[in-house]
Amino acid sequence: MAAGSFAAPPETTAWSRLMVNRNWLGFWFMVPTMIFLLLFLAWPLVLGMWMSMTDMRIGRGGVFIGLENYQFLLDDRDFINATVFTLVYTAVASVVKFAVGLYLAILLNNHMPFKAFIRAIVLIPFIVPTVLSAVAFWWIFDTQFSIFTWLLQKAGILDKGQYINWLGDPFLAQCSVIFANIWRGIPFIAITLLAGLQTVSPSLYEAATLDGASGWQRFRFVTYPLLTPIIAVVMTFSVLFTFTDFQLIWAMTRGGPVNATQLMATLSYQRGILGGRLGEGAAIATAMVPFLLAAIMVSWFGLQRRKWQQGESND
């Protein structure tokens, strides 16, 4: 063959190599999502933080006032009470949801008749719209027509004609909204943990049983370690969703009575939108960010400290 019969390989530029590089391929696929997050999450967050340092009101542009809104909130009893109740609401609801959800997941992972039907029933509280659930609980906890009051009367605990003001008493109202949040959140945790349980090999349980492990020991040394990454993720989402809850509280109590069930999210809406003080409302919303970041960081550092997460062997 002639010396010039072979075609010279095309020249590759740095850009063409970057386009096909496997390390960069995932980045290119993430670019649309990154743009979406920047436009609809990062930018509103930055704008809200800027508004929190102004005296902006609805219909009137504000001027920069620095940290005055935050200084005012530190002396605002309603804000302090809302912050405390938000933490209590999140802690109690998240712990109970995890305990009941884990129990249901283990129960549904066993062989039982009509298991698929029962799993579908368990999902109902999660797929029902939040406002519809809130209206149902508003009726359940109604002073006159409450099903709980009726059961207590039938059990002889309450006299006929005696009623409990579930949503009118501050403490009972707080318990009622926490109960409603638990009812809605259990299916999410149960189904997610059930999916994790089904990835655990039955041979591990068989080996543990042959070694004489009890039911608790099988859970402690087999189930729990393998479910830890899923538990960390699902509890992070549960804490975030519970801490920022708005629809359930607003539809049931509007933050009442006397602001007893006011969360930081509902107080922010009440001050910023209904009250027209956008700067103050934005400051309350921004004050939620450190708590949310703390929840994410606890989960992230917890996962990073586990040796199996880093690909190390347990010596």
Side-chain angles (χ1 to χ4, degrees):
M1 290 185 179
S5 60
F6 292 99
E11 294 184 2
T12 57
T13 63
W15 176 252
S16 62
R17 289 195 300 270
L18 193 62
M19 292 293 292
V20 298
N21 187 289
R22 292 184 60 184
N23 295 329
W24 281 87
L25 188 60
F27 173 77
W28 298 124
F29 281 111
M30 286 295 296
V31 166
T33 304
M34 291 169 58
I35 295 174
F36 179 85
L37 293 177
L38 287 173
L39 288 178
F40 296 102
L41 288 179
W43 169 242
L45 177 61
V46 173
L47 182 61
M49 294 175 66
W50 164 254
M51 288 175 57
S52 70
M53 293 184 286
T54 68
D55 61 351
M56 185 180 297
R57 294 176 178 267
I58 292 180
R60 177 177 68 82
V63 296
F64 182 79
I65 58 174
L67 301 178
E68 287 187 19
N69 285 325
Y70 297 98
Q71 293 172 351
F72 170 75
L73 292 176
L74 290 177
D75 296 325
D76 186 354
R77 183 172 297 274
D78 289 338
F79 172 75
I80 295 174
N81 292 338
T83 302
V84 172
F85 180 63
T86 302
L87 295 174
V88 173
Y89 178 83
T90 303
V92 174
S94 297
V95 169
V96 176
K97 283 188 289 187
F98 171 71
V100 179
L102 180 61
Y103 173 78
L104 282 177
I106 295 174
L107 192 65
L108 293 174
N109 195 44
N110 298 326
H111 296 288
M112 63 174 64
F114 308 108
K115 183 165 61 175
F117 176 75
I118 295 174
R119 290 177 181 176
I121 294 297
V122 169
L123 270 176
I124 288 179
F126 187 68
I127 62 178
V128 171
T130 305
V131 175
L132 183 59
S133 298
V135 172
F137 275 105
W138 181 77
W139 173 77
I140 289 173
F141 290 114
D142 183 78
T143 303
Q144 278 190 306
F145 304 104
S146 171
I147 185 65
F148 294 136
T149 302
W150 180 80
L151 290 174
L152 292 174
Q153 290 175 349
K154 290 297 181 181
I157 300 176
L158 291 180
D159 296 331
K160 189 174 182 181
Q162 184 180 1
Y163 300 100
I164 298 177
N165 192 7
W166 295 99
L167 299 180
D169 179 81
F171 178 73
L172 292 179
Q174 291 175 344
C175 295
S176 300
V177 296
I178 291 175
F179 179 86
N181 182 273
I182 291 172
W183 182 84
R184 273 197 54 81
I186 285 175
F188 169 72
I189 295 178
I191 297 301
T192 306
L193 295 181
L194 175 62
L197 285 173
Q198 293 182 335
T199 64
V200 180
S201 175
S203 61
L204 297 175
Y205 294 114
E206 294 172 2
T209 303
L210 293 175
D211 288 338
S214 63
W216 166 251
Q217 289 173 328
R218 289 196 297 271
F219 171 79
R220 173 65 181 85
F221 297 105
V222 178
T223 304
Y224 177 73
L226 295 176
L227 276 184
T228 300
I230 299 177
I231 291 174
V233 173
V234 75
M235 287 307 297
T236 300
F237 278 103
S238 176
V239 169
L240 296 182
F241 293 155
T242 306
F243 193 88
T244 57
D245 194 8
F246 173 83
Q247 299 180 66
L248 193 65
I249 299 294
W250 194 255
M252 285 184 65
T253 64
R254 294 291 196 276
V258 292
N259 291 326
T261 60
Q262 198 80 265
L263 298 180
M264 296 177 74
T266 57
L267 184 64
S268 173
Y269 175 79
Q270 190 180 71
R271 296 280 180 86
I273 304 301
L274 300 184
R277 301 189 295 273
L278 295 178
E280 186 178 335
I284 298 174
T286 305
M288 300 169 62
V289 174
F291 297 101
L292 301 177
L293 289 178
I296 295 173
M297 288 297 101
V298 168
S299 175
W300 188 80
F301 282 114
L303 289 176
Q304 291 299 313
R305 292 182 60 183
R306 295 193 62 88
K307 292 184 178 181
W308 52 261
Q309 186 72 11
Q310 300 174 0
E312 301 177 10
S313 59
N314 293 322
D315 297 328

